[in-house]
Amino acid sequence: MKAFEATRHFFYQAADQLDISDELREALLMPNREIQVQVTIRRDDGHLANYIGFRVQHDHARGPMKGGLRYHQEVDLDESRALACLMTWKTAVVDLPYGGAKGGIGVNPAQLSKNEIERLTRAFVDQIHDIVGPDTDIPAPDMGTDYQVMSWFRNQWEKYHGFNPAVITGKPVEEYGARGREEATGRGVGTLTQKMVKRLGMSPDQSRVAIQGFGNVGSHAAKFLHEGQFPIVAVSDITGTYYNSDGLNIPKLLRHKLAHPKGLLEGFDDAEHLPVDALLKLDHVDVLIPAALGGVITEENVDAITAKVIVEAANGPTLPVADERLNERGVTVLPDILANAGGVTVSYFEWVQNRQHYRWSLDRVRQELDRTMNDAFESVWQMASQHDVSLRTAAYMIGISRVRRATELAGLA
């Protein structure tokens, strides 16, 4: 199933509950604009290389559009369309005054030098600078990009439009970035995992956690949950699954990742080394956190998952058929549009600070993030209880209702 088909499926489940007409459903689902551009750079060895870049702007009924830039070999128009749509509902669920967008370049950044990635970023900005801006569409980091890429993006955009750091978020703190932005998505995942476990009557120190993906989100979530006394028994990255039934030494694991030249877990010897796909199939796991790519929980592997709780730190990790089976088994799934909304929330805080020319303290960022995520969780939980639906459907219902209301008030429907 393609990514946008899965997003459409979940949208329609919520739309059925809200009794939305067919014509309005299509209006809410249809992207406002889709851009595909050629991005050509000269590689370090002198030859030309061509890549395809994308930017999908889904909806602006509630404010400027917001969404990440992804550098990954699987980036295409369908994925960008699905993720832009998810961003619309995500920003609405946590009640940020934004719409959704997404984009990126179909490239494996690991195969490029730092200078080549800079040239690629600047060439991409040359192609899309006129459709992004602080009042229209505000990009941010995503898979394969980081604060350095955001700095190059801003610098190139300002060559056309003049000084305005609010054009992009996830920037270095030294260049008008927000304190706490790098940890934000993982912190949000950790905060809501704690809240979910306690709401279900589970004890943190008895809730064994497995985290698929140990990049920015997975590693910060692991740090937060370890500090909250959760035993993290398994983590994985592209080099394999690292397992310890008594709980991994997370501080040691994080030091190893920082010391590795590519930020990987390769060579970590204080754990049992298993195949990459073993993490989803481990016994005696209470909380599973997929924090890597989308579409990893499928019809083929869902029955092997033993966790009672799944917290979707990645975008779109669970396909619809698998989601139905998890619901039938009574597994509680905290959906991506709520669970990983910490990143866009602190991106909003960064944008606000840039517009006000005023910097917040780290404590204030964390307090505002925790409050926003907790308020959204309570709203989704209450909606699910009132309508006897899953947390995913409840989250979509809240997001769609807010976008629908804004659309109607604007006279567009």
Side-chain angles (χ1 to χ4, degrees):
M1 175 179 283
K2 290 187 176 181
F4 190 67
E5 289 179 11
T7 302
R8 178 187 289 268
H9 173 88
F10 294 133
F11 172 90
Y12 267 76
Q13 284 185 328
D16 288 344
Q17 294 287 331
L18 296 170
D19 195 26
I20 296 177
S21 68
D22 289 343
E23 61 182 13
L24 183 54
R25 294 183 191 208
E26 290 307 307
L28 293 175
L29 271 175
M30 185 180 297
N32 183 60
R33 176 190 284 166
E34 297 181 345
I35 300 292
Q36 177 175 313
V37 297
Q38 177 182 333
V39 185
T40 301
I41 64 167
R42 191 169 295 281
R43 298 288 301 271
D44 291 342
D45 62 8
H47 82 270
L48 290 177
N50 300 296
Y51 305 94
I52 303 297
F54 305 91
R55 191 66 180 173
V56 176
Q57 298 172 330
H58 179 257
D59 188 276
H60 54 74
R62 302 184 72 250
M65 293 165 286
K66 190 83 182 73
L69 290 174
R70 178 173 291 198
Y71 289 0
H72 191 272
Q73 56 270 28
E74 294 182 9
V75 170
D76 60 18
L77 188 58
D78 178 76
E79 181 193 60
S80 299
R81 183 184 296 137
L83 295 175
C85 186
L86 285 175
M87 283 301 299
T88 295
W89 317 132
K90 184 184 301 184
T91 54
V93 166
V94 290
D95 207 15
L96 303 179
Y98 282 146
K102 206 74 170 190
I105 302 174
V107 62
N108 183 353
Q111 296 178 352
L112 301 182
S113 70
K114 182 177 180 181
N115 288 336
E116 288 171 336
I117 294 174
E118 178 178 356
R119 290 197 290 273
L120 185 72
T121 301
R122 292 183 183 277
F124 187 40
V125 175
D126 290 341
Q127 296 280 35
I128 69 166
H129 71 88
D130 57 339
I131 65 165
V132 299
D135 296 310
T136 54
D137 178 1
I138 307 135
D142 201 287
M143 186 176 298
T145 61
D146 58 12
Y147 64 86
Q148 178 62 79
V149 174
M150 299 304 103
S151 182
W152 290 328
F153 190 106
R154 174 200 160 203
N155 178 266
Q156 191 69 13
W157 184 89
E158 288 184 340
K159 290 179 180 179
Y160 292 96
H161 302 279
F163 175 81
N164 198 329
V167 64
I168 200 164
T169 59
K171 301 180 295 294
V173 172
E174 299 88 344
E175 294 189 1
Y176 304 93
R179 296 181 176 95
R181 173 60 183 86
E182 187 173 347
E183 70 174 27
T185 306
R187 181 181 178 87
V189 168
T191 297
L192 294 192
T193 299
Q194 284 188 331
K195 198 169 185 68
M196 172 79 78
V197 164
K198 293 177 181 177
R199 184 63 55 89
L200 295 174
M202 301 164 62
S203 173
D205 61 355
Q206 299 297 316
S207 300
R208 295 153 57 90
V209 178
I211 303 176
Q212 183 200 42
F214 209 66
N216 175 270
V217 177
S219 60
H220 278 102
K223 180 177 182 293
F224 190 91
L225 291 172
H226 172 74
E227 293 171 352
Q229 307 304 311
F230 282 80
I232 300 172
V233 298
V235 299
S236 68
D237 66 6
I238 60 172
T239 67
T241 295
Y242 299 81
Y243 175 74
N244 186 325
S245 60
D246 295 325
L248 294 163
N249 185 331
I250 296 302
K252 183 176 180 180
L253 199 68
L254 292 170
R255 289 194 298 271
H256 179 90
K257 174 181 168 64
L258 286 172
H260 192 281
K262 295 184 177 180
L264 299 174
L265 299 177
E266 181 181 34
F268 185 71
D269 57 8
D270 193 13
E272 183 179 355
H273 187 211
L274 303 172
V276 175
D277 61 356
L279 184 135
L280 294 177
K281 305 172 184 177
L282 292 172
D283 292 330
H284 311 301
V285 168
D286 301 297
V287 180
L288 171 64
I289 302 178
L293 289 170
V296 297
I297 300 178
T298 67
E299 184 178 7
E300 287 72 30
N301 63 23
V302 65
D303 292 333
I305 294 174
T306 62
K308 306 168 189 173
V309 176
I310 296 177
V311 179
E312 295 183 337
N315 287 313
T318 309
L319 295 182
V321 173
D323 191 61
E324 290 175 10
R325 290 197 187 171
L326 292 169
N327 287 334
E328 291 169 358
R329 287 165 41 194
V331 177
T332 303
V333 180
L334 192 67
D336 49 359
I337 61 171
L338 172 58
N340 66 29
V344 70
T345 299
V346 175
S347 275
Y348 169 65
F349 298 159
E350 180 177 337
W351 180 76
V352 168
Q353 293 171 72
N354 292 161
R355 302 304 295 263
Q356 295 177 335
H357 301 283
Y358 180 79
R359 175 167 288 179
W360 298 1
S361 68
L362 178 60
D363 284 345
R364 181 179 177 185
V365 170
R366 287 174 170 173
Q367 289 170 4
E368 293 288 341
L369 172 62
D370 293 348
R371 178 192 59 77
T372 300
M373 297 297 286
N374 285 331
D375 287 351
F377 177 88
E378 292 299 335
S379 296
V380 171
W381 189 273
Q382 184 177 14
M383 178 70 78
S385 299
Q386 287 178 348
H387 294 269
D388 192 25
V389 296
S390 69
L391 293 176
R392 186 188 308 282
T393 298
Y396 270 82
M397 289 171 67
I398 290 173
I400 293 168
S401 294
R402 288 173 175 165
V403 176
R404 175 189 188 179
R405 178 63 172 160
T407 301
E408 291 172 341
L409 287 170
L412 302 178

